[in-house]
Amino acid sequence: MKIVKLKFLLVFTLVFAISCKNKQEKKVAKESEKKPNIVVIYLDDLGYGDISAYGATELQTPNIDALAAGGIKFTNGYASSATCTPSRYALLTGTYPWRNKDAKILPGTAPLLITTTQQTLPKVLRKQGYQTAIVGKWHLGLGTGHVNWNERITPGPNEVGFDQSYIFAATQDRVPTVYIDNGTVVGLEKNDPIEVDYKNNFKGEPTALTNPEMTTMKWHHGHNNSIVNGIPRIGYMKGGDKAKWSDIDIADNFLARAQNYVKTHKEKPFFLYYAMNEPHVPRTPHPRFVGKSGMGPRGDVILEADYMIGEFMKTLKEEGILENTLIVFSSDNGPVLNDGYYDDAVEKLGKHDPKGGLRGGKYSIFEAGTRVPFITYWKGTIKPAVSDAIVCQMDLLSSLATLTGTTDTTTDSKDILNTLLGKSDKGRGDLILEATGKTALRSGDWVYIPAYKGKNLREKVGIEVGNFPYEQLYNVKEDKGEQNNLAKSNPEKLTEMKAIFGKLRGIDYTKGVKEVEFR
Ligand code: NG6
Ligand code: CA
């Protein structure tokens, strides 16, 4: 009797197991028919040489390296610009930022830079059935002029294509130092309203100038207005005490939000713009990362960001969607060491080269301003490779339109989907680069920089920005560090580059225009 029972149990278990397996296979088949989830992981001021996958030897970034090793590592990947706002504008609208005179580093009180009727990447994807969300740094303006931070703040990310948004308004060094959840300041108390002003302080409120003893981080240039958590910021803020973020917890908080979004939205395709804050100033690693890099807070927050990315990837895996998710990893502009605070970034740099052999840095029209780490990763679909193709973040809009079954030809964005997926090694031919209002041309292996007024050295940050009273021409394949100006020795190439540049920028050189300035 016992044996019969056991046999029955065995058969039953077997049948059950087979039926489960079938169901699982069916689920997997369905999964691959589904449009892939898309995640853009965007760092802030991370340089071309700041991660070990791009040659850093003094810092180890194993989680980002795993993306590079398992995906396409682009060696000629670009942000559109050498500063944050214009690069984010290009990423989200597919449009060159120099077409918009307001696309420059914005204060925390700036109105929304993207118009609500403008084409955007999340809008394109939403039309294709995607759920869309941003978690992280926004820095593209909010509202229409005067923002009342105590009411729903609109228009903002939710009005330009994101179903959900959990952001901070500008930068970690700018007020208001609060999180905004779908337009509403998180944790705000009615009896402690927030006021923000970028011109005048509020009567009786301490600043780094009046009360330096209240600061725990010292400002080097700028950054001497309101003090929050001991850190002096740009701009004045009053009230909203309970709503103020804890600086050391920002990375963990954004990670938790990103993970939660993935967990709660995995049934339908989603687009998540995960805009991390590292290694932008003020660099405030959580205590568990303090001292880990031996390079001071700048190195520590790079390791912190790498850890967060590892955790985020674990979540994709645990939720069973890793093989149906395309990840794009990049940075909004090149590196800077001293960006306004004394934080040992210069002193403890050691042998580390954040520029990775390029010239310039953040704010610079030289290559280190805009050439950044750029990785695409899609487990099981993208075959690992290194690509030298020229790709720009601005091209995600058209490329992802194509990936999700539509086309977009309304913007400057180029469809380079096959390149991003490793099926082609052809990138875009020409690309206009931008740095605080100046523009230059990358075309093939060449870079052309017009003559510009002003000093080459931006002294306070110690970066060469590229202003010279004469034109510059570099072959960046042979001369990665832009050391040999070939403008005089190769007049043919110079003429050719100027013709392309003039055409793309709409400049008529026959009218004697020498300098290009758009603001
Ligand atoms: C500059 C700030 C710098 C940083 C930058 C924006 C000063 C002196 N410098 O104006 O610290 O905040 O703006 O960086 O205030 S970005 O990555 O968002 O473009
Ligand atoms: Ca930036």
Side-chain angles (χ1 to χ4, degrees):
M1 185 63 184
K2 260 191 182 162
I3 290 178
V4 173
K5 249 193 183 171
L6 202 68
K7 265 191 185 165
F8 176 77
L9 202 72
L10 262 175
V11 170
F12 178 80
T13 316
L14 207 69
V15 169
F16 183 74
I18 289 171
S19 95
C20 278
K21 190 161 183 271
N22 280 345
K23 263 194 208 144
Q24 214 177 0
E25 266 162 18
K26 260 189 218 145
K27 202 178 155 215
V28 169
K30 243 179 107 195
E31 197 70 14
S32 63
E33 284 159 25
K34 242 173 60 179
K35 287 180 179 167
N37 308 307
I38 300 164
V39 180
V40 173
I41 302 178
Y42 208 47
L43 271 77
D44 194 357
D45 298 2
L46 185 81
Y48 189 72
D50 266 329
I51 50 182
S52 31
Y54 277 73
T57 51
E58 311 302 297
L59 277 175
Q60 293 306 313
T61 49
N63 295 300
I64 304 171
D65 292 2
L67 297 179
I72 316 274
K73 178 181 118 178
F74 290 94
T75 60
N76 285 294
Y78 286 91
S80 76
S81 303
T83 56
C84 169
T85 301
S87 287
R88 282 158 208 261
Y89 179 83
L91 167 75
L92 291 183
T93 66
T95 299
Y96 275 126
W98 44 265
R99 296 197 194 282
N100 185 336
K101 66 173 180 34
D102 296 322
K104 52 190 171 194
I105 299 174
L106 295 177
T109 45
L112 182 64
L113 184 64
I114 303 171
T115 62
T116 51
T117 51
Q118 211 171 332
Q119 178 67 300
T120 67
L121 174 57
K123 277 187 190 171
V124 169
L125 297 175
R126 190 146 77 176
K127 262 205 178 144
Q128 296 311 104
Y130 276 69
Q131 314 168 85
T132 57
I134 168 175
V135 171
K137 172 175 172 173
W138 178 239
H139 211 187
L140 286 164
L142 293 168
T144 51
H146 180 76
V147 171
N148 181 347
W149 301 93
N150 307 289
E151 292 173 355
R152 176 148 197 278
I153 303 153
T154 181
N158 297 60
E159 285 67 40
V160 296
F162 290 104
D163 303 335
Q164 286 199 40
S165 65
Y166 185 91
I167 58 167
F168 59 59
T171 56
Q172 198 186 333
D173 53 349
R174 281 176 176 75
V175 297
T177 49
V178 295
Y179 298 114
I180 302 169
D181 189 356
N182 290 312
T184 304
V185 171
V186 178
L188 185 63
E189 291 184 326
K190 277 245 154 17
N191 58 0
D192 188 21
I194 294 181
E195 288 177 79
V196 179
D197 197 309
Y198 270 70
K199 282 208 184 88
N200 302 305
N201 189 21
F202 299 96
K203 218 172 160 225
E205 292 294 309
T207 69
L209 288 177
T210 60
N211 294 70
E213 77 287 353
M214 286 174 67
T215 61
T216 49
M217 196 186 274
K218 301 292 167 205
W219 58 279
H220 176 271
H221 57 280
H223 305 98
N224 55 21
N225 303 156
S226 290
I227 306 162
V228 181
N229 305 333
I231 302 169
R233 319 274 167 159
I234 309 172
Y236 304 100
M237 174 180 176
K238 188 185 172 191
D241 239 21
K242 285 270 156 58
K244 288 174 184 166
W245 65 49
S246 156
D247 289 272
I248 56 170
D249 295 313
I250 290 175
D252 281 311
N253 188 30
F254 283 154
L255 170 68
R257 292 277 162 175
Q259 286 173 317
N260 186 51
Y261 182 78
V262 164
K263 287 181 190 163
T264 51
H265 292 79
K266 62 176 179 181
E267 302 306 333
K268 270 176 67 192
F270 63 79
F271 165 60
L272 173 63
Y273 172 36
Y274 181 11
M276 300 176 76
N277 177 53
E278 294 74 29
H280 195 282
V281 296
R283 296 153 184 146
T284 52
H286 186 270
R288 65 195 197 279
F289 297 98
V290 171
K292 283 278 177 297
S293 67
M295 223 177 260
R298 185 174 187 277
D300 294 347
V301 297
I302 292 176
L303 301 190
E304 183 178 47
D306 183 69
Y307 168 85
M308 301 298 155
I309 291 167
E311 293 303 294
F312 180 76
M313 295 305 293
K314 266 189 214 160
T315 301
L316 291 181
K317 196 167 176 216
E318 281 159 16
E319 297 302 317
I321 54 172
L322 185 59
E323 303 207 1
N324 199 36
T325 303
L326 167 65
I327 314 272
V328 180
F329 170 90
S330 201
S331 168
D332 68 340
N333 53 252
V336 56
L337 296 174
N338 178 344
D339 206 12
Y341 295 99
Y342 289 97
D343 67 358
D344 281 344
V346 176
E347 293 77 359
K348 293 198 172 158
L349 185 65
K351 282 188 281 171
H352 180 56
D353 176 17
K355 308 190 294 292
L358 303 175
R359 186 172 180 182
K362 182 176 180 177
Y363 311 109
S364 178
I365 198 67
F366 285 130
E367 284 288 278
T370 48
R371 211 202 289 188
V372 286
F374 195 126
I375 300 164
T376 54
Y377 176 94
W378 184 351
K379 193 170 189 315
T381 297
I382 288 181
K383 281 208 210 95
V386 175
S387 172
D388 296 335
I390 298 174
V391 296
C392 179
Q393 292 156 9
M394 189 172 68
D395 301 325
L396 289 176
L397 190 147
S398 273
S399 306
L400 298 178
T402 305
L403 174 71
T404 56
T406 182
T407 43
D408 179 89
T409 50
T410 64
T411 63
D412 295 310
S413 184
K414 286 208 168 135
D415 175 5
I416 50 163
L417 179 66
N418 283 334
T419 316
L420 296 178
L421 298 183
K423 293 179 192 159
S424 160
D425 53 12
K426 249 187 99 206
R428 51 156 61 229
D430 310 314
L431 176 66
I432 299 283
L433 304 168
E434 188 265 342
T436 65
K438 300 189 293 279
T439 50
L441 171 71
R442 167 87 201 247
S443 179
D445 295 336
W446 295 82
V447 165
Y448 164 69
I449 305 174
Y452 284 111
K453 283 189 198 136
K455 279 201 234 163
N456 174 41
L457 187 67
R458 191 172 171 129
E459 276 158 16
K460 286 183 173 141
V461 292
I463 288 174
E464 284 190 284
V465 293
N467 294 329
F468 286 101
Y470 46 81
E471 295 170 306
Q472 300 174 73
L473 178 71
Y474 299 102
N475 181 325
V476 289
K477 189 170 184 192
E478 287 164 10
D479 175 22
K480 189 177 167 190
E482 294 172 299
Q483 294 301 311
N484 303 313
N485 182 3
L486 304 175
K488 285 221 172 83
S489 62
N490 197 340
E492 275 147 42
K493 195 71 199 177
L494 183 70
T495 308
E496 190 192 316
M497 292 290 282
K498 274 179 82 164
I500 302 170
F501 182 71
K503 199 167 154 229
L504 291 173
R505 288 289 277 112
I507 298 156
D508 186 353
Y509 283 108
T510 59
K511 295 212 170 113
V513 182
K514 281 208 194 96
E515 292 195 3
V516 192
E517 269 172 276
F518 73 96
R519 57 175 176 252

mmCIF file of all heavy atoms in Angstrom, residues 279-303:
data_model
loop_
_atom_site.group_PDB
_atom_site.id
_atom_site.type_symbol
_atom_site.label_atom_id
_atom_site.label_comp_id
_atom_site.label_asym_id
_atom_site.label_seq_id
_atom_site.Cartn_x
_atom_site.Cartn_y
_atom_site.Cartn_z
ATOM 1 N N PRO A 279 29.845 62.037 -9.655
ATOM 2 C CA PRO A 279 30.554 62.619 -8.510
ATOM 3 C C PRO A 279 30.485 64.155 -8.482
ATOM 4 O O PRO A 279 31.497 64.816 -8.259
ATOM 5 C CB PRO A 279 31.989 62.143 -8.744
ATOM 6 C CG PRO A 279 32.114 62.110 -10.256
ATOM 7 C CD PRO A 279 30.745 61.815 -10.808
ATOM 8 N N HIS A 280 29.308 64.711 -8.708
ATOM 9 C CA HIS A 280 29.123 66.161 -8.648
ATOM 10 C C HIS A 280 29.322 66.671 -7.216
ATOM 11 O O HIS A 280 29.111 65.922 -6.272
ATOM 12 C CB HIS A 280 27.705 66.498 -9.137
ATOM 13 C CG HIS A 280 27.490 67.934 -9.470
ATOM 14 N ND1 HIS A 280 27.300 68.892 -8.517
ATOM 15 C CD2 HIS A 280 27.439 68.576 -10.664
ATOM 16 C CE1 HIS A 280 27.144 70.073 -9.096
ATOM 17 N NE2 HIS A 280 27.221 69.909 -10.409
ATOM 18 N N VAL A 281 29.686 67.928 -7.106
ATOM 19 C CA VAL A 281 29.821 68.537 -5.770
ATOM 20 C C VAL A 281 28.457 68.903 -5.193
ATOM 21 O O VAL A 281 27.534 69.146 -5.965
ATOM 22 C CB VAL A 281 30.696 69.817 -5.819
ATOM 23 C CG1 VAL A 281 32.098 69.480 -6.236
ATOM 24 C CG2 VAL A 281 30.091 70.888 -6.722
ATOM 25 N N PRO A 282 28.305 68.993 -3.879
ATOM 26 C CA PRO A 282 29.247 68.589 -2.841
ATOM 27 C C PRO A 282 29.311 67.067 -2.761
ATOM 28 O O PRO A 282 28.285 66.397 -2.838
ATOM 29 C CB PRO A 282 28.622 69.181 -1.571
ATOM 30 C CG PRO A 282 27.153 69.246 -1.865
ATOM 31 C CD PRO A 282 27.045 69.513 -3.325
ATOM 32 N N ARG A 283 30.505 66.538 -2.629
ATOM 33 C CA ARG A 283 30.668 65.073 -2.619
ATOM 34 C C ARG A 283 30.504 64.594 -1.181
ATOM 35 O O ARG A 283 31.332 64.895 -0.329
ATOM 36 C CB ARG A 283 32.029 64.709 -3.195
ATOM 37 C CG ARG A 283 32.087 65.134 -4.676
ATOM 38 C CD ARG A 283 33.453 65.427 -5.184
ATOM 39 N NE ARG A 283 33.415 65.916 -6.558
ATOM 40 C CZ ARG A 283 34.268 66.814 -7.035
ATOM 41 N NH1 ARG A 283 35.209 67.314 -6.275
ATOM 42 N NH2 ARG A 283 34.160 67.199 -8.288
ATOM 43 N N THR A 284 29.426 63.862 -0.975
ATOM 44 C CA THR A 284 29.062 63.475 0.396
ATOM 45 C C THR A 284 28.802 61.970 0.477
ATOM 46 O O THR A 284 27.658 61.538 0.551
ATOM 47 C CB THR A 284 27.783 64.231 0.822
ATOM 48 O OG1 THR A 284 26.780 64.030 -0.189
ATOM 49 C CG2 THR A 284 28.029 65.707 0.976
ATOM 50 N N PRO A 285 29.869 61.176 0.411
ATOM 51 C CA PRO A 285 29.657 59.729 0.479
ATOM 52 C C PRO A 285 28.999 59.317 1.794
ATOM 53 O O PRO A 285 29.248 59.949 2.823
ATOM 54 C CB PRO A 285 31.077 59.160 0.391
ATOM 55 C CG PRO A 285 31.973 60.290 0.818
ATOM 56 C CD PRO A 285 31.287 61.546 0.372
ATOM 57 N N HIS A 286 28.191 58.284 1.746
ATOM 58 C CA HIS A 286 27.654 57.705 2.980
ATOM 59 C C HIS A 286 28.847 57.173 3.790
ATOM 60 O O HIS A 286 29.842 56.712 3.199
ATOM 61 C CB HIS A 286 26.688 56.563 2.631
ATOM 62 C CG HIS A 286 25.996 56.009 3.832
ATOM 63 N ND1 HIS A 286 26.517 54.968 4.562
ATOM 64 C CD2 HIS A 286 24.856 56.395 4.436
ATOM 65 C CE1 HIS A 286 25.704 54.715 5.572
ATOM 66 N NE2 HIS A 286 24.686 55.561 5.522
ATOM 67 N N PRO A 287 28.775 57.213 5.138
ATOM 68 C CA PRO A 287 29.925 56.769 5.959
ATOM 69 C C PRO A 287 30.504 55.418 5.530
ATOM 70 O O PRO A 287 31.716 55.194 5.657
ATOM 71 C CB PRO A 287 29.326 56.687 7.360
ATOM 72 C CG PRO A 287 28.242 57.719 7.363
ATOM 73 C CD PRO A 287 27.700 57.785 5.958
ATOM 74 N N ARG A 288 29.662 54.496 4.994
ATOM 75 C CA ARG A 288 30.254 53.202 4.646
ATOM 76 C C ARG A 288 31.170 53.266 3.419
ATOM 77 O O ARG A 288 31.857 52.306 3.107
ATOM 78 C CB ARG A 288 29.167 52.124 4.481
ATOM 79 C CG ARG A 288 28.201 52.305 3.348
ATOM 80 C CD ARG A 288 27.004 51.370 3.572
ATOM 81 N NE ARG A 288 26.204 51.149 2.384
ATOM 82 C CZ ARG A 288 25.288 51.985 1.932
ATOM 83 N NH1 ARG A 288 25.082 53.133 2.534
ATOM 84 N NH2 ARG A 288 24.602 51.694 0.847
ATOM 85 N N PHE A 289 31.184 54.409 2.728
ATOM 86 C CA PHE A 289 32.107 54.549 1.594
ATOM 87 C C PHE A 289 33.249 55.524 1.888
ATOM 88 O O PHE A 289 34.154 55.673 1.074
ATOM 89 C CB PHE A 289 31.346 55.014 0.345
ATOM 90 C CG PHE A 289 30.319 54.010 -0.114
ATOM 91 C CD1 PHE A 289 28.984 54.150 0.233
ATOM 92 C CD2 PHE A 289 30.705 52.900 -0.845
ATOM 93 C CE1 PHE A 289 28.051 53.211 -0.146
ATOM 94 C CE2 PHE A 289 29.775 51.952 -1.235
ATOM 95 C CZ PHE A 289 28.444 52.102 -0.885
ATOM 96 N N VAL A 290 33.180 56.181 3.019
ATOM 97 C CA VAL A 290 34.196 57.190 3.350
ATOM 98 C C VAL A 290 35.571 56.536 3.496
ATOM 99 O O VAL A 290 35.727 55.556 4.219
ATOM 100 C CB VAL A 290 33.821 57.970 4.634
ATOM 101 C CG1 VAL A 290 34.979 58.862 5.095
ATOM 102 C CG2 VAL A 290 32.569 58.808 4.398
ATOM 103 N N GLY A 291 36.524 57.063 2.757
ATOM 104 C CA GLY A 291 37.899 56.572 2.842
ATOM 105 C C GLY A 291 38.175 55.348 1.984
ATOM 106 O O GLY A 291 39.306 54.877 1.908
ATOM 107 N N LYS A 292 37.157 54.852 1.303
ATOM 108 C CA LYS A 292 37.317 53.606 0.542
ATOM 109 C C LYS A 292 38.240 53.745 -0.671
ATOM 110 O O LYS A 292 38.865 52.772 -1.095
ATOM 111 C CB LYS A 292 35.942 53.102 0.074
ATOM 112 C CG LYS A 292 35.111 52.431 1.170
ATOM 113 C CD LYS A 292 35.548 50.973 1.335
ATOM 114 C CE LYS A 292 34.863 50.215 2.420
ATOM 115 N NZ LYS A 292 35.046 50.669 3.802
ATOM 116 N N SER A 293 38.295 54.940 -1.233
ATOM 117 C CA SER A 293 39.082 55.085 -2.465
ATOM 118 C C SER A 293 40.502 55.566 -2.174
ATOM 119 O O SER A 293 41.368 55.473 -3.049
ATOM 120 C CB SER A 293 38.409 56.088 -3.400
ATOM 121 O OG SER A 293 38.460 57.389 -2.833
ATOM 122 N N GLY A 294 40.708 56.120 -0.988
ATOM 123 C CA GLY A 294 42.017 56.711 -0.693
ATOM 124 C C GLY A 294 42.231 57.991 -1.486
ATOM 125 O O GLY A 294 43.322 58.553 -1.526
ATOM 126 N N MET A 295 41.185 58.461 -2.130
ATOM 127 C CA MET A 295 41.301 59.603 -3.026
ATOM 128 C C MET A 295 40.424 60.762 -2.536
ATOM 129 O O MET A 295 40.139 61.683 -3.286
ATOM 130 C CB MET A 295 40.809 59.144 -4.399
ATOM 131 C CG MET A 295 41.642 59.607 -5.565
ATOM 132 S SD MET A 295 40.941 58.896 -7.059
ATOM 133 C CE MET A 295 42.033 57.528 -7.326
ATOM 134 N N GLY A 296 39.927 60.611 -1.315
ATOM 135 C CA GLY A 296 39.023 61.645 -0.803
ATOM 136 C C GLY A 296 37.606 61.421 -1.307
ATOM 137 O O GLY A 296 37.321 60.441 -1.997
ATOM 138 N N PRO A 297 36.717 62.359 -0.954
ATOM 139 C CA PRO A 297 35.296 62.176 -1.272
ATOM 140 C C PRO A 297 34.993 61.956 -2.762
ATOM 141 O O PRO A 297 34.066 61.231 -3.102
ATOM 142 C CB PRO A 297 34.667 63.482 -0.793
ATOM 143 C CG PRO A 297 35.585 63.978 0.276
ATOM 144 C CD PRO A 297 36.954 63.537 -0.111
ATOM 145 N N ARG A 298 35.771 62.584 -3.655
ATOM 146 C CA ARG A 298 35.443 62.398 -5.077
ATOM 147 C C ARG A 298 35.582 60.928 -5.487
ATOM 148 O O ARG A 298 34.709 60.360 -6.143
ATOM 149 C CB ARG A 298 36.318 63.280 -5.977
ATOM 150 C CG ARG A 298 35.887 63.187 -7.441
ATOM 151 C CD ARG A 298 36.631 64.151 -8.370
ATOM 152 N NE ARG A 298 36.025 64.091 -9.687
ATOM 153 C CZ ARG A 298 36.310 63.183 -10.597
ATOM 154 N NH1 ARG A 298 37.227 62.250 -10.349
ATOM 155 N NH2 ARG A 298 35.694 63.171 -11.761
ATOM 156 N N GLY A 299 36.676 60.319 -5.078
ATOM 157 C CA GLY A 299 36.867 58.898 -5.386
ATOM 158 C C GLY A 299 35.841 58.039 -4.657
ATOM 159 O O GLY A 299 35.296 57.077 -5.221
ATOM 160 N N ASP A 300 35.568 58.415 -3.408
ATOM 161 C CA ASP A 300 34.619 57.627 -2.604
ATOM 162 C C ASP A 300 33.224 57.606 -3.241
ATOM 163 O O ASP A 300 32.563 56.566 -3.254
ATOM 164 C CB ASP A 300 34.514 58.197 -1.180
ATOM 165 C CG ASP A 300 35.817 58.044 -0.399
ATOM 166 O OD1 ASP A 300 36.712 57.292 -0.856
ATOM 167 O OD2 ASP A 300 35.951 58.687 0.661
ATOM 168 N N VAL A 301 32.779 58.750 -3.745
ATOM 169 C CA VAL A 301 31.422 58.752 -4.330
ATOM 170 C C VAL A 301 31.379 58.029 -5.680
ATOM 171 O O VAL A 301 30.327 57.535 -6.085
ATOM 172 C CB VAL A 301 30.789 60.162 -4.440
ATOM 173 C CG1 VAL A 301 30.600 60.781 -3.078
ATOM 174 C CG2 VAL A 301 31.542 61.069 -5.380
ATOM 175 N N ILE A 302 32.511 57.934 -6.346
ATOM 176 C CA ILE A 302 32.525 57.128 -7.576
ATOM 177 C C ILE A 302 32.335 55.650 -7.192
ATOM 178 O O ILE A 302 31.558 54.923 -7.810
ATOM 179 C CB ILE A 302 33.825 57.348 -8.391
ATOM 180 C CG1 ILE A 302 33.845 58.779 -8.947
ATOM 181 C CG2 ILE A 302 33.942 56.329 -9.537
ATOM 182 C CD1 ILE A 302 35.116 59.170 -9.685
ATOM 183 N N LEU A 303 33.013 55.230 -6.123
ATOM 184 C CA LEU A 303 32.833 53.845 -5.649
ATOM 185 C C LEU A 303 31.409 53.625 -5.142
ATOM 186 O O LEU A 303 30.811 52.554 -5.343
ATOM 187 C CB LEU A 303 33.833 53.515 -4.543
ATOM 188 C CG LEU A 303 35.315 53.645 -4.905
ATOM 189 C CD1 LEU A 303 36.186 53.043 -3.800
ATOM 190 C CD2 LEU A 303 35.630 52.968 -6.242
#
